[in-house]
Amino acid sequence: MITHKRVTAYILCFIVAIAFSLPVQADEMPNESNAVFSDVPITAAYSAAIKDVNIKGLMSGVGNDCFEPDSVLSQAQLATILYRFAGSPQENMDIASDSTWYTTAATWAYQSGYMTRDGDSAFQASRSVTREEIAVVLWNYIIKNESRFKLNEPAQLQNINDSAAISLEAQEAVLNLLGTNVMGLLDDHNFGPQEVVTRADAAVIFSCYSTISYYPSCNNFDIYQNAAMTIKSESLSSSGATVVIENFLSDKEFTYGVGYALEREFEGEWFSVPRILYSTDSGMAITLLAYHVYPQKTSEQSISWKTSYGDIEAGHYRIVKYFTVREADSIDYTTILDEFCLSAEFEIA
């Protein structure tokens, strides 16, 4: 069952993720019309994540137009999601003729070192996945495939109330995934390492991971010549800023959402700023509204990161946002002419 304390972690993730929805290669891409399930209320904190991973081909329904968000994620399902995320690699694997729906994915995950068996026993396909286990599996994948996930400042054990319950072998994975914003603390400042992962949990985690992982490769990242994003100097503080977005085109409009990434420069490289979790009564909220920058106009967006990051310390930072290009005044939101990312750098003294 989805508990109240998970809601904050879901919301924190989607402040980053809503504006960055880039495709991930998969072996079978479902139709977008199948991305909404009868047992996933549109108002649920995880509904956008479930739609996202379904469209990207990472997770599908269980039949009868249902997703079963509260069902426990199994080891077989985790292997399959990760395999699809990797693009369903066609490697030389000795797969038995009587293989099951998960055999190829489980064999790949085990042989690649992303997942392990329980001692000398066979792969326990139906066994549930815990939060620290999914962190370890994802971190195993990241360190082999994602060099840009290097972190200057992972989360700290002293900021996690139940850090003593995190297995020693899982601590690195947990701290780094918290630092990259792929996973979040629960709203009691616990990580809940032994709590089981539901299918909704998995959707949120993989939606966040695919979003954060792929936005740097966005087309025309920071070199798009028809737009600019700057910080409104008088608005800048350690807890927030206002960005000014300019559209230099005469016949196209830009669309953007509330999402953004906050990064810090360290020795010439950019790193995700680790999130700090505050309680759900902090007034934080998200919206799925799309905002527009009309031809040859400017738009402003105020960003307050205090709820997600606290007051950031002195250093050189940037805000990164994702934009799409559409025909001006078009009501057709399915046609994207171009997409790009912009950053606005600033200094906190």
Side-chain angles (χ1 to χ4, degrees):
M1 181 177 181
I2 302 299
T3 58
H4 172 71
K5 62 184 179 180
R6 278 188 165 89
V7 173
T8 302
Y10 291 165
I11 294 175
L12 283 175
C13 171
F14 278 93
I15 285 183
V16 175
I18 283 175
F20 300 140
S21 183
L22 305 184
V24 176
Q25 182 180 359
D27 55 338
E28 183 178 353
M29 298 293 285
N31 294 325
E32 185 170 358
S33 60
N34 297 328
V36 179
F37 299 95
S38 61
D39 59 348
V40 180
I42 192 64
T43 55
Y46 49 76
S47 62
I50 290 175
K51 181 175 181 179
D52 185 43
V53 295
N54 182 245
I55 291 173
K56 290 175 178 175
L58 303 181
M59 298 182 71
S60 56
V62 297
N64 297 321
D65 195 32
C66 292
F67 186 83
E68 292 188 0
D70 293 343
S71 293
V72 172
L73 185 77
S74 70
Q75 299 284 332
Q77 290 172 340
L78 175 57
T80 301
I81 298 168
L82 189 66
Y83 181 67
R84 290 173 175 173
F85 181 87
S88 302
Q90 300 299 311
E91 300 177 358
N92 294 323
M93 294 180 289
D94 186 14
I95 305 298
S97 58
D98 60 346
S99 61
T100 64
W101 59 269
Y102 60 81
T103 301
T104 299
T107 302
W108 167 83
Y110 172 72
Q111 291 182 352
S112 301
Y114 306 137
M115 298 181 70
T116 60
R117 296 192 179 107
D118 295 329
D120 296 328
S121 63
F123 182 75
Q124 296 188 7
S126 61
R127 185 172 66 80
S128 60
V129 178
T130 66
R131 279 174 55 82
E132 73 169 26
E133 284 177 333
I134 196 171
V136 169
V137 170
L138 272 177
W139 188 242
N140 286 342
Y141 182 86
I142 287 170
I143 59 178
K144 290 187 177 183
N145 299 281
E146 300 279 9
S147 61
R148 60 178 166 264
F149 263 80
K150 291 183 299 182
L151 275 182
N152 171 36
E153 205 173 346
Q156 301 297 314
L157 283 174
Q158 60 264 30
N159 295 327
I160 305 173
N161 287 343
D162 62 349
S163 59
I166 303 173
S167 303
L168 183 62
E169 60 271 20
Q171 286 183 2
E172 179 186 9
V174 169
L175 294 179
N176 279 288
L177 287 187
L178 288 173
T180 55
N181 307 320
V182 172
M183 296 184 71
L185 293 177
L186 305 176
D187 63 6
D188 49 11
H189 274 267
N190 288 325
F191 179 74
Q194 305 307 320
E195 287 197 23
V196 295
V197 176
T198 66
R199 283 172 54 81
D201 293 334
V204 170
I205 291 169
F206 273 93
S207 180
C208 287
Y209 176 40
S210 63
T211 294
I212 296 171
S213 171
Y214 279 85
Y215 85 82
S217 63
C218 173
N219 181 36
N220 297 330
F221 179 65
D222 240 5
I223 60 173
Y224 192 71
Q225 301 299 311
N226 297 313
M229 186 170 74
T230 55
I231 298 291
K232 197 172 184 178
S233 58
E234 62 269 27
S235 72
L236 180 62
S237 72
S238 62
S239 61
T242 296
V243 293
V244 179
I245 304 150
E246 298 179 80
N247 180 357
F248 303 135
L249 295 173
S250 61
D251 59 346
K252 305 291 189 299
E253 67 181 48
F254 304 146
T255 304
Y256 63 96
V258 297
Y260 64 95
L262 185 62
E263 300 180 339
R264 183 179 182 181
E265 190 270 338
F266 181 73
E267 295 184 350
E269 294 190 68
W270 292 99
F271 298 87
S272 298
V273 176
R275 287 182 178 275
I276 299 172
L277 185 65
Y278 284 76
S279 64
T280 53
D281 60 4
S282 59
M284 177 176 59
I286 63 172
T287 175
L288 297 178
L289 290 175
Y291 298 93
H292 304 266
V293 191
Y294 294 103
Q296 298 187 330
K297 299 291 184 180
T298 63
S299 177
E300 294 185 2
Q301 183 179 46
S302 295
I303 297 174
S304 175
W305 54 72
K306 186 177 180 66
T307 303
S308 302
Y309 300 97
D311 290 314
I312 57 177
E313 61 186 28
H316 188 63
Y317 295 86
R318 69 179 181 181
I319 294 172
V320 183
K321 288 186 66 64
Y322 167 76
F323 299 86
T324 60
V325 182
R326 305 176 188 274
E327 292 288 351
D329 299 319
S330 173
I331 61 173
D332 178 14
Y333 281 85
T334 64
T335 301
I336 297 176
L337 304 177
D338 201 354
E339 54 189 14
F340 61 94
C341 294
L342 293 177
S343 70
E345 299 184 25
F346 60 95
E347 195 81 26
I348 297 295

